[in-house]
Amino acid sequence: MRKRLFSGLLALLLCLSFAVPAFAEDEVDKFSIINQIAIYAEQNYKFGVTSEQLKNRALEYMLENNDTDLDNVLTAMLGSLDDYTRYFTKEQYENFTGALTASLRGIGVRVRAVKSGAAVIGVLSGSPAEKAGIKAFDIITAVGDKSLAGLTMDEAASLIQGNEATSVSLRVKRAGEENELNFDIVRANVEESTVSWSKLDDETAYISFTSLTLNSDVFMRKVLGEIDEAGIKKIVLDLRDNGGGYLEATVNICSMFVPEGVVGYIDYKDPDKLETFYSDNKNPKYQLAVLINGNTASGAELLSGTIQDTGVGKLFGEQSFGKGTVQTTAQLKNGGAIKLTIGKYYTAKKQDVAKNHINPDVAVENSYYKINDSSFHEIDFDNEVKEGSVGDNVLAIEERLAALGYLDEADNVADADTMEAVALLKTSYGSDPIKKADIDFLAYINSIDYSKIYKTNDRQLKAAWDYLKGLK
């Protein structure tokens, strides 16, 4: 199933060669606002529409629904154009831009609701929380004087988050500490990296790349620097489920991999206007195998297609989504915004992504298999497990944790990784993240129907890796 795409290929306004007008919000005259947007769309919409057509659509909506709410009218008017042109309310636009920048206003933690409050399941590198000393599996029990016990995850997160440069006071329960700890932390805009990497072998790196956010090129450059330090030249670049994002970041990342020359084009409503983007890389140094699937879209299609066009890598997997259009945004004074399709993009050799998608050089489908729980060791409910434990009960727990994806393998030793997996699984069902497999945990992990769990046999990754192994 094709999931809802991230943003598509979104052009930064400052990178475009035309100016986006500042729309004035005037509650007294909604028709003036509708008229301004309709004229702007007529001037810039890639596939052509008249302002009269849009105004008629707005009027039809108001008459048919007896509804003059501006948010609803603009949603109906712009929604009639294409799948990617739309109107955002203020809240929707804030969520949209936050997702595109991978940025949150807060302290930089991921939390889950548990009995005592909000369990920290992740602390972002360089965040205010990390600098203050917050650790994974701490339990935030209160924000100021407000207890978090019994709150939902969203309710707890809304209290922890807040505007940049504001302060938040936290009470924290930490394993091994007799008394709760107090933290005063100044909130900031916190960015989460969309790029990470690991070694497949001494010669091959695997890069996971989830989306093209505002600073994805910065994150990619950092990752490639670490790969260079490791002396690795072969890279599996995983663009599966990457729904695209910012154009500027996309072009910059293309330049890190493909040789000097054209990386792509955008054509606009004006048939005489063709914008060309270039790489300045005089010495491409990586051997690439790129993974794509049906959710690889927009900017990720431009990146993968241009790698294919320039011959610096081969594509493995399945046909891409086929979103070959570019959008720009313009914000209203009410905080809402419009996102308008202004162009189509093409790869270095002018592959029409919207029409033909990006097709892999080597078509490979993954396979899936059911967990065989009949081979699991039996759980001994009289034998609780803590860090340092060994034996069959440790193995029984680890087999189940691995089946659930919390652990890579079962090795019969309850080391730090095993106990962190235990604590993390506890938070998934609302229990405090104590690093101990107690009777309640044993009962829970034994109650799961593992026969309904499917695991992926990643044949696409294997094919890409095998290809790189064969290169000198």
Side-chain angles (χ1 to χ4, degrees), residues 26-209:
D26 182 358
E27 282 295 330
V28 177
D29 191 359
K30 294 177 181 178
F31 284 102
S32 174
I33 298 167
I34 293 169
N35 185 59
Q36 289 179 63
I37 294 174
I39 292 171
Y40 170 65
E42 179 179 36
Q43 293 170 344
N44 296 292
Y45 182 59
K46 166 62 181 173
F47 303 113
V49 69
T50 67
S51 60
E52 292 304 315
Q53 287 173 321
L54 287 174
K55 287 186 284 187
N56 285 339
R57 176 68 189 101
L59 184 59
E60 286 172 4
Y61 172 83
M62 288 186 281
L63 293 174
E64 290 173 2
N65 297 276
N66 193 27
D67 182 6
T68 59
D69 179 84
L70 186 61
D71 287 344
N72 295 338
V73 173
L74 294 178
T75 297
M77 182 178 83
L78 294 172
S80 65
L81 293 178
D82 65 78
D83 289 342
Y84 306 105
T85 293
R86 61 166 297 180
Y87 170 75
F88 293 110
T89 64
K90 179 181 179 181
E91 182 179 358
Q92 289 169 340
Y93 187 59
E94 287 174 351
N95 291 337
F96 173 73
T97 54
L100 274 177
T101 58
S103 175
L104 292 172
R105 294 182 180 91
I107 64 172
V109 293
R110 300 188 199 92
V111 297
R112 282 180 178 167
V114 296
K115 293 177 182 177
S116 303
V120 176
I121 62 171
V123 182
L124 301 187
S125 176
S127 66
E130 183 187 58
K131 293 173 183 176
I134 298 292
K135 298 180 179 180
F137 305 116
D138 283 350
I139 302 173
I140 302 172
T141 59
V143 175
D145 294 328
K146 174 69 173 176
S147 171
L148 301 189
L151 299 187
T152 66
M153 182 180 71
D154 288 343
E155 289 169 338
S158 69
L159 292 172
I160 298 167
Q161 294 170 357
N163 291 331
E164 183 180 13
T166 61
S167 181
V168 60
S169 297
L170 307 178
R171 288 207 310 271
V172 171
K173 183 166 68 173
R174 177 175 293 168
E177 297 285 347
E178 184 177 349
N179 299 315
E180 289 190 340
L181 307 175
N182 295 303
F183 293 88
D184 291 316
I185 303 176
V186 177
R187 299 180 178 103
N189 283 337
V190 182
E191 287 193 61
E192 184 171 8
S193 178
T194 57
V195 188
S196 60
W197 80 283
S198 59
K199 272 188 180 182
L200 293 175
D201 58 39
D202 289 342
E203 295 184 341
T204 313
Y206 168 82
I207 295 180
S208 174
F209 190 14

Side-chain angles (χ1 to χ4, degrees), residues 48 96 111 129 214 216 248 304 371 375 432 465:
F96 173 73
V111 297
L214 182 62
S216 285
E248 184 177 26
S304 57
I371 295 295
S375 63
D432 289 353
W465 191 4

